[in-house]
Amino acid sequence: MADSRPSSTPSAHLSATPADRPVYVIGAGPGGLAAAYALRARGIRAVVLEKSDRVGASWRRHYDRLHLHTTRRLSALPGLAMPRRFGRWVSRDNVVRYLEKYAEHHKLEIVTGVEVFRVERAAGEGSGDGWLLHASGGRELTGSAVVVATGFNHTPRLPEWPGRDGYAGELLHAGQYRNAKPYADRDVLVVGVGNTGAEIAVDLLEGGAARVRLAVRTAPHIVRRSTAGWAAQYTGITVRRLPVRLVDRLARPMARVSTPDLSAHGLPRPETGLYSRVRQGAIPVQDVGLIDAVQAGKVEIVAAVEGFEDDKVLLADGSRITPDTVIAATGYTRALEELVGHLGVLDERGRPVVHGARTPADAPGLYFTGFTNPISGMFRELALDAEKIARAVARRLA
C-alpha cells in the first residue's frame, strides 16, 4: 500500500494564533476525515491530527479477509462515492484505498505523527470557548472546537483471566490476527462470538486449522448479511427509530424463518430480543459462513473461558482443554479517559455521553463521532454525524 500523506502540514504550521484557531479533528479514520470535509465544505478550517504516519491506521491493522458488512452505496462518506469496482461488500484493502483517495480528493489538511494526549478548556483573557490540546513533541494547540474521532476499536481489551500471565500456550488478541496461514494444522480456540470472533473462526477453518473451537458466554443473535438481495443493513435502517419492544417482536419470527436453530450445537436462540441486545451494545452477528460451519460440526461451540492453568484453558462448564493457540476476540476499549476523562464527558463505560451535533453541557465545542456501533451501519452514521457536527460548529462560530 502506498504511503499517503494528503496535504500534510509542517509541525511549525500547527501553532495557530488566537485570532485564527482552527477546528482540530483528532484521528484520521473515516469519522475524522468525514468531519474534516464537512467542516471545510462550510468554509471552516479543519486540521486533522493523526498519531500514525498514514490515514486509516486502524483499518490497516484489521485481519485480511475483513469486508464491510454494510453495502458500498450506503458506506460512502460525504462528497465522494465508493467506486463500483469495489463490489457490494467492500474489502479492508479497498476501504483503506478509499480513505486515502478521500483525503487526497478533498485536499484535507492532515498532520501525521502527532498524538494528542489531553484536551482541556483554554484559559486566559479572550479565550472564549476555545480548547487547548496537549500533543506530542511538547505542542500546545489552541482550537475553536475539537472533534474527537479516535475510533471505536482503539485499544485491544484482553480480560484479566486468572492464570493468564502464566499460560504456557500461545495467547493473542484478535487485533494481532491477520490470516489463517500461521495456524494451519493447529488446534485453535477463538474466544468471543461477536462478528470478529465468528469471522476469524470461519477463516481458520477455511485456512486449514486442524481444529477450531469457539468459546461463547452469551449466545448472539445471528442474521443473514443479505437475503434475496435485501441487505440486513436495510432492515437496520428501517427499524432503527421504532420502539424497541416492537422490533424485538418482529425479529423473532424473521429469525425463525431466515436462520436455523443451532441449539443442538451449543448456540440457542437468545432469550433477550434482538433490538434490546443492540441497545445494550451487542450488534447481531452477520453470517459469513458460521452457520454452516457450526451445523457441520467443523466449528465447535464450547463454554466461556474462566481462566488458565499451565497449558490448559479452564471453561465455565468445568472442562479443561489444551489448544495450541487461543485468539481472544474480546473487543476493544475506547481509551478516552486520559484524553477527556477529566472533563466529565464520559459515562461509566468510558464512552462519550453524547455524540454527533450534541456537545456535553459543561464542554461546549467538544464533539464526538464514531463511538457508537449502530445497527444501521457505522460508516453511514459517521457520514450523517459529520454533516451534523459541521452545521453545529458553523452555528457556534457564527
Side-chain angles (χ1 to χ4, degrees):
M1 193 78 61
D3 188 354
S4 175
R5 303 188 184 188
S7 301
S8 187
T9 305
S11 298
H13 211 181
L14 284 171
S15 299
T17 63
D20 182 26
R21 296 174 298 175
V23 174
Y24 282 110
V25 179
I26 307 174
L33 297 180
Y37 162 72
L39 288 163
R40 283 198 52 173
R42 290 180 175 271
I44 301 167
R45 184 187 174 203
V47 177
V48 182
L49 305 176
E50 168 57 45
K51 70 177 183 179
S52 74
D53 61 348
R54 292 179 291 183
V55 303
S58 63
W59 273 91
R60 297 175 192 274
R61 294 192 297 266
H62 286 314
Y63 50 92
D64 294 348
R65 74 172 281 155
L66 178 65
H67 286 67
L68 288 177
H69 289 164
T70 53
T71 65
R72 180 195 73 252
R73 188 173 63 83
L74 294 180
S75 299
L77 302 179
L80 185 67
M82 285 189 172
R84 182 181 291 270
R85 68 177 183 277
F86 285 178
R88 192 182 195 195
W89 313 107
V90 182
S91 70
R92 177 205 66 183
D93 288 349
N94 280 334
V95 169
V96 172
R97 292 187 180 99
Y98 173 72
L99 296 179
E100 291 177 336
K101 182 63 177 178
Y102 190 87
E104 177 185 0
H105 176 79
H106 292 305
K107 297 181 173 60
L108 300 181
E109 191 173 349
I110 301 172
V111 187
T112 58
V114 174
E115 182 174 6
V116 179
F117 301 115
R118 185 179 175 90
V119 175
E120 59 187 31
R121 295 293 295 269
E125 186 177 353
S127 62
D129 290 333
W131 291 92
L132 178 65
L133 285 66
H134 299 273
S136 54
R139 300 178 180 90
E140 292 188 348
L141 314 171
T142 303
S144 57
V146 174
V147 180
V148 181
T150 49
F152 192 83
N153 295 333
H154 187 277
T155 301
R157 186 182 73 85
L158 195 62
E160 293 287 345
W161 286 302
R164 187 193 76 182
D165 294 339
Y167 178 55
E170 181 184 18
L171 170 64
L172 66 149
H173 188 271
Q176 299 169 272
Y177 178 87
R178 293 295 170 268
N179 55 61
K181 187 175 180 179
Y183 310 100
D185 302 318
R186 293 177 67 83
D187 181 340
V188 186
L189 171 68
V190 180
V191 184
V193 70
N195 277 292
T196 297
E199 189 157 5
I200 287 177
V202 173
D203 194 44
L204 288 163
L205 174 65
E206 295 176 354
R211 187 177 189 180
V212 180
R213 284 175 281 196
L214 185 58
V216 176
R217 184 173 299 277
T218 304
H221 287 275
I222 303 176
V223 300
R224 301 288 187 183
R225 186 168 66 177
S226 179
T227 303
W230 179 266
Q233 182 187 12
Y234 299 160
T235 302
I237 294 171
T238 302
V239 306
R240 188 179 182 200
R241 302 197 182 281
L242 293 179
V244 173
R245 291 183 180 180
L246 174 60
V247 178
D248 285 347
R249 287 199 298 269
L250 293 173
R252 290 190 185 98
M254 291 176 61
R256 287 194 291 269
V257 171
S258 62
T259 58
D261 185 358
L262 300 175
S263 298
H265 302 279
L267 278 181
R269 297 190 191 277
E271 295 182 4
T272 306
L274 184 148
Y275 205 23
S276 292
R277 290 284 297 276
V278 169
R279 288 298 183 91
Q280 296 167 6
I283 294 295
V285 171
Q286 294 206 15
D287 178 48
V288 291
L290 181 67
I291 290 175
D292 291 344
V294 170
Q295 282 185 313
K298 295 180 179 179
V299 169
E300 306 168 47
I301 305 300
V302 299
V305 171
E306 290 295 312
F308 296 85
E309 187 176 279
D310 298 324
D311 63 340
K312 296 180 176 62
V313 181
L314 313 181
L315 302 182
D317 61 2
S319 59
R320 303 184 178 200
I321 60 177
T322 55
D324 298 316
T325 302
V326 178
I327 300 174
T330 47
Y332 295 78
T333 64
R334 313 294 84 81
L336 292 169
E337 286 78 7
E338 290 188 10
L339 185 69
V340 296
H342 55 286
L343 298 171
V345 297
L346 305 178
D347 64 16
E348 65 280 358
R349 294 187 297 172
R351 300 185 182 188
V353 294
V354 296
H355 69 93
R358 297 172 61 198
T359 62
D362 294 331
L366 181 63
Y367 302 87
F368 296 89
T369 183
F371 297 100
T372 60
N373 197 7
I375 194 172
S376 50
M378 176 70 81
F379 272 54
R380 178 180 182 273
E381 296 305 319
L382 289 174
L384 294 175
D385 271 358
E387 300 285 7
K388 294 174 183 177
I389 290 170
R391 286 197 296 269
V393 172
R395 286 195 298 268
R396 287 186 58 81
L397 296 182

